[in-house]
Amino acid sequence: MTKAREQQVSLQDTKYYHCISRCVRRAYLCGEDTHTGKSYEHRRQWIEDKLQQVSKVFCIDVCAYAVMSNHTHFVLYADDKKANRLSDKAVVIRWHKLFKGTLHTQKFLAGETLDKGQQFFLAREIKEFRHRLSDISWFMRVLNEHIARKANKEDNCTGRFWEGRFKSQALLDEAALAACMAYVDLNPIRAKMAKTPETSEHTSIKKRIESAKEGKQPKCLLRFSGSPRKYMPKGLPFEFKYYLQLVEQTGQCIRADKRGSIDSSQPILTRLNICPENWLKLTTQFTKSFRGAVGREQSLQSYCDHVQLKRRSNLTQCQRLFA
């Protein structure tokens, strides 16, 4: 049986998760309907705009994303420590940016006096909102529901827009994180929607490259903080320039009209101990190779123990590709 989402998420093992949502209709989510000739390309910007808005409210950072024609990819970082540090007022203010809240939270923000009974219910509601602010399921719910309602209104119809619930994969270590991010960033190139990372519309890699030209990192995405060290600040555990070089080289290998090779001495691949041949498979067949949590054998064993999974479906693939 499929396990409940809350049983698949273990923040003590990893805070990084790969989420995928697919459109259920015949017409593309954001592409051109070949039957009617109508273009839905503008919806890709809807998703990108809403993603940035929601990430500012939730204590969840976006590491990578790609908005494709009929599905979306997001690599997310759930920052529960940040949510726990927020004051009660900050939690309520953030939640009210998306929802009306309750009578108690509205009175709380208005500065009205609450009796003991109201304070009890207020404390319980704030505790729940605090938890939701670092909950990936709530993040995806807010994002996908908004797009579904907007698309249904444009199409003048009702019913499902997304193919059931989103799928998620726990990324248990740096090797899995690097491979998944590159896989997501290179999605448009594999789909022949773009020839280079910098021309891949509505992707995180394009936004990062645009900011890099100005010597900056985009504020809407989780920053690269360099190689792991003793006092590690919050951020992706890679050197930014090396990751960009690696994505560029990988993209060259994927393109059928251009010969390319990945140098085995690439700093990221060397540190993560991933051979170039395995890296190409990881970045072109990530979701086909893995159906659940991804990481090295030890990380996968620990994760399965914590979430009480008896079957380790990806163990053989993880042993082979992350060896």
Side-chain angles (χ1 to χ4, degrees):
M1 289 180 63
T2 303
K3 292 182 71 70
R5 186 82 61 193
E6 62 183 10
Q7 293 178 289
Q8 298 178 38
V9 175
S10 175
L11 295 186
Q12 68 182 105
D13 290 299
T14 182
K15 298 181 188 295
Y16 295 99
Y17 291 85
H18 175 212
C19 301
I20 309 168
S21 295
R22 293 188 180 277
C23 184
V24 75
R25 295 183 190 158
R26 180 198 67 195
Y28 277 359
L29 162 67
C30 305
E32 182 173 317
D33 187 344
T34 55
H35 293 270
T36 65
K38 184 176 180 180
S39 174
Y40 296 94
E41 279 295 302
H42 57 283
R43 291 179 179 174
R44 299 175 74 188
Q45 190 62 51
W46 287 1
I47 296 173
E48 197 168 12
D49 292 343
K50 189 63 178 179
L51 178 66
Q52 292 182 28
Q53 179 196 356
V54 174
S55 64
K56 290 179 182 178
V57 175
F58 280 79
C59 295
I60 293 178
D61 296 288
V62 180
C63 306
Y65 69 87
V67 183
M68 305 299 288
S69 294
N70 62 353
H71 65 284
T72 61
H73 288 275
F74 304 118
V75 178
L76 305 175
Y77 174 88
D79 194 349
D80 56 330
K81 291 183 178 180
K82 179 179 178 180
N84 291 331
R85 289 196 304 266
L86 293 176
S87 66
D88 289 350
K89 187 174 183 179
V91 169
V92 175
I93 289 174
R94 281 173 177 255
W95 195 252
H96 278 212
K97 289 181 179 179
L98 296 172
F99 301 97
K100 293 181 179 179
T102 67
L103 180 62
H104 303 123
T105 58
Q106 291 171 1
K107 286 185 175 182
F108 174 65
L109 284 188
E112 297 181 23
T113 302
L114 303 177
D115 60 34
K116 288 186 177 181
Q118 291 173 325
Q119 289 176 6
F120 171 81
F121 286 108
L122 173 66
R124 192 167 66 176
E125 289 160 359
I126 290 176
K127 181 180 179 181
E128 179 62 24
F129 294 161
R130 189 185 301 277
H131 170 72
R132 291 177 183 178
L133 287 177
S134 60
D135 189 323
I136 288 176
S137 289
W138 269 92
F139 181 96
M140 294 298 294
R141 172 183 175 177
V142 171
L143 175 62
N144 284 348
E145 185 175 304
H146 171 82
I147 300 303
R149 289 181 182 275
K150 200 167 181 179
N152 279 349
K153 184 177 180 180
E154 182 181 57
D155 294 340
N156 193 28
C157 69
T158 59
R160 284 195 175 191
F161 183 77
W162 299 101
E163 188 181 71
R165 299 181 67 196
F166 70 94
K167 297 179 181 178
S168 65
Q169 291 179 297
L171 306 175
L172 302 176
D173 49 37
E174 295 171 24
L177 175 62
C180 187
M181 284 183 60
Y183 169 81
V184 170
D185 281 331
L186 291 169
N187 245 259
I189 291 178
R190 287 197 310 278
K192 301 185 189 291
M193 295 172 64
K195 292 185 177 181
T196 60
E198 62 269 23
T199 59
S200 301
E201 296 295 336
H202 307 289
T203 61
S204 53
I205 192 64
K206 184 176 189 295
K207 191 168 289 292
R208 290 191 187 278
I209 291 173
E210 288 174 348
S211 296
K213 291 177 180 178
E214 301 176 2
K216 301 177 182 178
Q217 292 199 49
K219 294 181 179 179
C220 59
L221 297 172
L222 186 61
R223 296 175 59 84
F224 284 83
S225 57
S227 300
R229 47 197 182 277
K230 185 175 181 180
Y231 299 105
M232 185 73 178
K234 175 183 172 181
L236 296 165
F238 312 113
E239 291 285 349
F240 180 41
K241 62 178 180 180
Y242 294 141
Y243 176 77
L244 287 181
Q245 291 171 3
L246 188 61
V247 170
E248 173 67 23
Q249 280 190 293
T250 307
Q252 290 176 358
C253 296
I254 291 173
R255 288 175 54 190
D257 63 331
K258 187 173 183 179
R259 296 174 63 87
S261 61
I262 296 178
D263 186 356
S264 60
S265 64
Q266 266 284 352
I268 294 179
L269 294 186
T270 301
R271 179 164 64 80
L272 298 180
N273 195 29
I274 301 177
C275 73
E277 292 77 13
N278 286 353
W279 175 257
L280 279 178
K281 185 167 185 178
L282 286 167
T283 52
T284 55
Q285 302 177 35
F286 193 88
T287 54
K288 291 182 180 179
S289 299
F290 305 107
R291 296 297 180 185
V294 186
R296 299 191 188 281
E297 181 179 358
Q298 186 176 355
S299 301
L300 186 60
Q301 294 273 16
S302 176
Y303 168 81
C304 290
D305 290 340
H306 287 149
V307 299
Q308 299 180 351
L309 277 177
K310 294 183 179 179
R311 184 180 179 186
R312 293 157 171 77
S313 57
N314 286 330
L315 187 57
T316 302
Q317 280 287 63
C318 288
Q319 288 173 331
R320 186 165 61 86
L321 294 177
F322 292 114

